[in-house]
Amino acid sequence: MADSIGPDDLIPMDLFTGSEPIAIDLVYANGAHPENIFGIAAYHPRARMILHKDLARVVLLAARALHQKHQWTLVLKDGLRTVEAQRALMDTDIVRQNPHWLEEPRLLSSPGQGAHPRGMAIDVSAADDNGSFVDMGTLFDAMVPESARAYRGFSQEILDNRAALENAFIEGAESLGLPMLALPSEWWDFRFPASYSLNFAPLFDEDLPPSLKMSVASGIGPEEPDFDRLAKDVLLSI
């Protein structure tokens, strides 16, 4: 039986934006976002970027390393994607027009599958010290062969940028004794592998306290956790 992820296991990453080199750009909360290929808002407009606390630790270490070495800010694009949000993204014209996205190896997980509905996957990009996006060859969520990590048809600068991003996540996870998968098909996706994440049950909106709900803006749920304590615990653990 899979373990449950409780509210005390989750952390909204906006708690760290004032003190850590991260920025939040929650793409799927805005149907008109230029990088939202699905064209719908799978999250409500006030949804927060949420991660499992263990992945949050890796993200903060990776962000610090990238800022120290390259003066980059790590831009967080997507994290926890509840089962309801997964279903909403699947039920879009672009998915129906691209059925091969659902063939193995899948570019889109079925509702409840994968690391996103457990808060154990993060999609990212990076910005330089002038606020310009660091060139990774493609935009976030570009479903093209060039997005794959194995694609080598870019300039050395772009390949080095991708390598810097990947190394920061791998090294951050290793320093904490945690596993890390840099998803081969997407340069922006870092996650705990299935051997780790699938030990936990996926999250529905009803599993979340009101302030953490993703697909609906209100409603009952578990009691709100002490976010100040959770944030302090995360920072002290890295």
Side-chain angles (χ1 to χ4, degrees):
M1 183 176 179
D3 293 333
S4 297
I5 297 172
D8 282 347
D9 297 315
L10 302 171
I11 190 91
M13 296 304 290
D14 54 87
L15 298 178
F16 305 109
T17 53
S19 58
E20 300 288 339
I22 63 170
I24 294 174
D25 180 22
L26 192 59
V27 172
Y28 300 142
N30 178 4
H33 192 292
E35 291 179 303
N36 186 343
I37 64 171
F38 299 97
I40 66 162
Y43 309 142
H44 68 82
R46 296 186 300 281
R48 303 169 80 176
M49 166 69 66
I50 302 163
L51 294 178
H52 188 278
K53 61 186 179 183
D54 286 341
L55 184 56
R57 297 161 65 205
V58 177
V59 168
L60 292 177
L61 283 181
R64 290 177 181 180
L66 290 167
H67 191 262
Q68 181 179 24
K69 295 177 182 178
H70 306 284
Q71 293 74 56
W72 292 358
T73 296
L74 191 64
V75 182
L76 313 186
K77 298 287 190 176
D78 195 35
L80 174 63
R81 188 183 304 162
T82 53
V83 175
E84 293 92 339
Q86 283 185 305
R87 287 175 178 155
L89 294 181
M90 294 279 287
D91 188 25
T92 53
D93 288 341
I94 193 170
V95 174
R96 286 187 284 270
Q97 293 162 6
N98 292 275
H100 60 283
W101 291 357
L102 308 180
E103 299 171 357
E104 297 297 336
R106 296 175 68 106
L107 293 177
L108 290 176
S109 297
S110 298
Q113 297 300 308
H116 275 294
R118 294 157 173 85
M120 294 182 176
I122 180 74
D123 297 329
V124 300
S125 63
D128 64 20
D129 55 354
N130 293 316
S132 299
F133 283 108
V134 176
D135 192 354
M136 299 290 177
T138 76
L139 294 176
F140 155 75
D141 235 7
M143 300 292 195
V144 294
E146 291 83 357
S147 293
R149 296 182 189 278
Y151 183 81
R152 309 302 294 177
F154 291 121
S155 68
Q156 191 60 49
E157 179 181 3
I158 291 173
L159 296 177
D160 288 345
N161 289 343
R162 288 189 175 191
L165 186 65
E166 182 172 333
N167 290 340
F169 272 87
I170 298 297
E171 291 170 5
E174 287 180 348
S175 73
L176 296 170
L178 291 166
M180 180 56 56
L181 171 65
L183 196 67
S185 58
E186 300 174 355
W187 62 261
W188 56 83
D189 186 302
F190 298 91
R191 59 181 59 205
F192 293 150
S195 59
Y196 184 96
S197 63
L198 295 186
N199 291 311
F200 300 88
L203 290 163
F204 294 78
D205 254 44
E206 65 185 20
D207 300 320
L208 304 173
S211 71
L212 297 187
K213 290 186 181 297
M214 301 297 294
S215 296
V216 295
S218 61
I220 61 173
E223 183 178 349
E224 297 285 344
D226 182 347
F227 290 124
D228 288 340
R229 176 185 59 80
L230 290 176
K232 182 178 180 180
D233 288 347
V234 166
L235 292 172
L236 288 174
S237 69
I238 58 174

